Structure formats: structure tokens, C-alpha cells
Amino acid sequence: MTVFGVDAVQSAGTGELVVGAKDIVTPLARELARERGVTIVVASAHPPSSPVTANQSLPPAPVAVAPVFARPSSNGSQSPPAPLKPPAPALYRRGAPLHPAVAPAALHEPRTRRPELPSAAKSVGRVLVVGAGHVGMITAMKLAEANIIEEVVLVDIAEGLAAGIALDLTHSTALLGFDTKVRGVTSLAEAGAAEFVVITAGRARQPGMSRTDLVEVNAGIVGALARDAAGISPHTVLLVVTNPLDEMTHHAWRASGLPANRVIGMAGVLDSSRFQALTGLAVDSSPSSVRALALGSHGDEMVIPLSQARVGGTTITDAIPQAEVTALVDRARNSGAEVVGLLKSGSAFFAPGASAARMVLAMATNSDEIIAATVCANGQYGIADGYVGLPARLGRTGLREIVELPLSADELASVRTAAARIAERVADLEQMAAPA
């Protein structure tokens, strides 16, 4: 077996290069032969029954390409395969003209518009995500991927930020298989009326900033956004993600003037997911096999009713020792701080963004699932008034129903304590916001 390279083609001039059935012609040699008009001829190791003169050869193709290996004939002998007609397009240099028989048809035919894929049926017209930070970006992405919303609009006062993220998300539509329109603007007025408004805008706590400082700064941001959103979209549902979550949800309700069922806070879905993930890791099982709801506050008063928690079909306290369960609850409660400590700069955004999108999609589809949400109680669980994390069913108009689960006496007391602590912090916030 002989390997023929470009030197052999150059030596052939403009004539023929005769190779054996088992010889190899390198791709570059084949390309050079095509360019110079050199015919590559495969000489048969077993000539046919009719006589063949020394000057005869196999009939060449206009640009024949020698095969790498011969194939056995029906009688077991080696016979050369037919030359490739035309040459494979992989043998051409980038940018070189292709043989007409291997060039894509689109290069030879008049350009026509590619037929559009049928759009999925959309159940929601427009959703606004206010704040194009990491949480807002993930929220918008998950909402767009669901492909049930006509348009997702990112809103951020930073010039170009929302528009840039929206364009980047739009570039992924073909990759991810959705056709949701994604737009980025700098104001709620430019965004237009929407069925759902997700508020993620706000400041994270900076070094030296007290919790009171954070509450005061974010209350100004969330209050103004809630008022503007209600003015532009009087029938919208507000979903608040900004921290401190419990106080900001109550404040958005007061500032917007919307009914309490149309102002909801995102916390329980996130805390529940964190507990499910950590429990799944602890028992080496899928997190989806863990059922649990995180109630109370998004903070120190978070309550996970273990009487309602399951791993597979087993009560969680039967599947995991009590001490380990307690440790899992504590870790879930402090998971946000754990992520911040690992990142060194910034805070969690994948799970919070996915949680916010999950709540909007539950409302958009009138899902019958029970999820944990920060909602305004009206006597349920013995809580007369105020926002707190409770089991709920959501729908197109926001809160459909607060679901009362059979909690143990200790669990019920913990949820009521959380509601009381939230009410105290809300009172402090309202006192700060009151004119002097």
C-alpha cells in the first residue's frame, strides 16, 4: 500500500495519477488534483477477461477520487470500488467553490423565505419582569421557554441592560424551541399593560448597611414600582421577589391599592425547593420524590411542617432521623446566606428566578397544585390579617384559595408566630414611611 500526497499530484502535471486499489490518496492531494485537472485512476489488481493494454485504465470520472480501500467482489477477490462521483464536500477548503452535485440546493435555487414553524397557543398576552439583574434575567428566560406567553418584557432603568438581555434571549429561541417575544425597555410605561408584573428590582444589602437601611431603600423602590404598575395595568397581578420579601409584599399591596389577592410574594416556593433538594441529597433520592412546603416567613421564622412532609410515600421523620431532619430544615432556612458566602460577591439567582417563573406559570395556567406563597390571610390558621407564607392555590387573578392543612399544634403555633413577627416588622416599616 502506498500513500499518495500532493507531491505525486504535482509530478503528474495535467495528466493522470495511477494508483493501486489498496493505495491511499490524501484529501489534500485529491483537492489539488481537482484544481489542476489531474485524473486519479485506480488500477485493477485483477484485470477483466478482455485484454487490457498498458495504456488502458478504468474509465475516469470528470473528477474521480480514489477510494481508501478496495471491497471484495462476489467471487472473493479484491476489486476496486467505483470512484466517488462527485467528490465529498468535506474535501473542499473553507470558502472554496463546491462541485454543483454536492453544493446545497439553496446555493443554486432562488432564495425563498423559510417556512415559519407553527406558533404554540399562548394563554397570556404579556408579563413584565421589573429588574434585569440575575434573578430577573432567569425569571424572564424561564417564562419565555414555557412558550405560553405572547411577550415577556424586561424593565430596567439601566440604559441598554434590559434590551441587551432581551436580545440575547431572543437569539436562543431556535436553540430552545420557543417563539415567545422578548423585549427590553427602561420604563413600565414603555413596556405597556400586562397581566402579571414580577418585581425583582431592589438593592442587596451592602457591607455596613443595617437591615433597617435595606428595608427603607427597597421600600422606596418597590412602592414606586407597585404604584406605577397598578396605574398602567389596573387588573394586573403583582408578584414580589425583592427582599426583605414579607415586608416588601405587604408594602407593595398598600402602595398599589390593588386587592390583596392580586399581590403575592415569592418565598415559599424557593424555600420548599431548597429543602427538597437538600433532602434528596441526604437520602440519595430524586428531589422530586420529596414533598414539603415551607411556610411562615422568608427568614428566621420559616416553618416546614414535618407532619406534611414525605419522601416517596413515607413520612420524612420515618425516613430520616429527627436530628438530621432538623439540620436539613436549618440549612434550608439559611441557604441564601450559604450561597452568598460561597459566591463571595452576589447572591442566589438560579433558584429564585426559577421559583418566580414557576409561580407566574401556575397562575397563567390556573394550576390546581398547592404551593407555598406569601399571601394575605383572612382568618385562616387563626391569622386574622397580614401577609405570611401559607399553602395556596393560584390562578389568573392571583390568589384563588388558602388551603388549610391539618398541622400539628406546634407547627400551627410556629406559623402564627411567624405572622406576628412579620406584622411587627411591617408596623416598623409603615412608621418609617409615615410623613414626619
Side-chain angles (χ1 to χ4, degrees), residues 39 293 360 374 397 423:
T39 301
L293 292 174
V360 172
T374 301
T397 58

Side-chain angles (χ1 to χ4, degrees), residues 72-168:
S73 63
S74 58
N75 60 12
S77 63
Q78 294 289 323
S79 62
L84 292 177
K85 302 179 184 179
L91 302 180
Y92 291 86
R93 287 198 305 265
R94 182 177 297 172
L98 294 179
H99 189 285
V102 297
L107 297 179
H108 307 292
E109 299 174 357
R111 186 180 296 274
T112 57
R113 183 175 180 180
R114 180 181 176 182
E116 295 183 358
L117 296 174
S119 297
K122 303 295 193 291
S123 59
V124 177
R126 180 180 294 140
V127 177
L128 307 189
V129 180
V130 187
H134 286 135
V135 174
M137 174 178 63
I138 297 298
T139 302
M141 181 184 73
K142 292 297 183 183
L143 290 174
E145 286 179 350
N147 215 29
I148 65 168
I149 302 165
E150 285 286 351
E151 184 180 50
V152 173
V153 184
L154 271 164
V155 184
D156 199 290
I157 59 173
E159 189 68 37
L161 177 60
I165 293 173
L167 180 59
D168 198 13

Side-chain angles (χ1 to χ4, degrees), residues 248-264:
M248 291 303 102
T249 304
H250 187 102
H251 184 60
W253 169 46
R254 292 298 195 193
S256 68
L258 293 172
N261 67 291
R262 289 185 175 271
V263 181
I264 300 170

Side-chain angles (χ1 to χ4, degrees), residues 9-356:
V9 175
Q10 290 171 344
S11 299
T14 58
E16 295 179 345
L17 174 63
V18 180
V19 300
K22 295 185 178 181
D23 293 340
I24 297 174
V25 180
T26 67
L28 287 178
R30 294 174 183 177
E31 182 178 352
L32 182 61
R34 180 188 63 81
E35 292 176 350
R36 295 194 170 196
V38 175
T39 301
I40 301 175
V41 179
V42 181
S44 175
H46 297 274
S49 56
S50 59
V52 179
T53 66
N55 293 327
Q56 284 182 314
S57 64
L58 293 178
V63 183
V65 180
V68 177
F69 297 105
R71 63 177 182 269
S73 63
S74 58
N75 60 12
S77 63
Q78 294 289 323
S79 62
L84 292 177
K85 302 179 184 179
L91 302 180
Y92 291 86
R93 287 198 305 265
R94 182 177 297 172
L98 294 179
H99 189 285
V102 297
L107 297 179
H108 307 292
E109 299 174 357
R111 186 180 296 274
T112 57
R113 183 175 180 180
R114 180 181 176 182
E116 295 183 358
L117 296 174
S119 297
K122 303 295 193 291
S123 59
V124 177
R126 180 180 294 140
V127 177
L128 307 189
V129 180
V130 187
H134 286 135
V135 174
M137 174 178 63
I138 297 298
T139 302
M141 181 184 73
K142 292 297 183 183
L143 290 174
E145 286 179 350
N147 215 29
I148 65 168
I149 302 165
E150 285 286 351
E151 184 180 50
V152 173
V153 184
L154 271 164
V155 184
D156 199 290
I157 59 173
E159 189 68 37
L161 177 60
I165 293 173
L167 180 59
D168 198 13
L169 285 175
T170 299
H171 290 163
S172 72
T173 53
L175 295 171
L176 300 178
F178 66 89
D179 59 9
T180 308
K181 296 180 178 66
V182 186
R183 185 160 54 99
V185 298
T186 57
S187 69
L188 287 168
E190 189 179 356
E195 293 168 65
F196 300 98
V197 177
V198 184
I199 300 178
T200 72
R203 290 186 62 186
R205 189 186 298 186
Q206 304 297 318
M209 179 184 287
S210 69
R211 190 177 189 282
T212 301
D213 294 333
L214 179 65
V215 170
E216 190 169 3
V217 169
N218 282 349
I221 296 171
V222 170
L225 291 172
R227 282 190 294 272
D228 290 347
I232 296 169
S233 307
H235 301 292
T236 195
V237 176
L238 292 182
L239 178 63
V240 181
V241 182
T242 306
N243 279 321
L245 188 284
D246 307 297
E247 295 97 309
M248 291 303 102
T249 304
H250 187 102
H251 184 60
W253 169 46
R254 292 298 195 193
S256 68
L258 293 172
N261 67 291
R262 289 185 175 271
V263 181
I264 300 170
M266 187 289 295
V269 172
L270 171 60
D271 290 333
S272 300
S273 178
R274 284 170 168 168
F275 180 76
Q276 289 173 292
L278 295 171
T279 302
L281 291 173
V283 299
D284 194 22
S285 180
S286 169
S288 61
S289 70
V290 181
R291 296 177 55 194
L293 292 174
L295 311 180
S297 78
H298 185 48
D300 293 341
E301 300 91 13
M302 186 197 80
V303 180
I304 295 182
L306 299 180
S307 65
Q308 305 298 310
R310 300 285 187 275
V311 177
T314 306
T315 303
I316 195 167
T317 50
D318 291 335
I320 307 174
Q322 182 63 50
E324 292 184 26
V325 176
T326 301
L328 289 170
V329 172
D330 289 340
R331 189 179 179 191
R333 182 182 292 117
N334 297 298
S335 283
E338 184 179 0
V339 172
V340 170
L342 292 169
L343 292 177
K344 309 300 182 186
S345 175
S347 56
F349 55 92
F350 278 113
S355 297

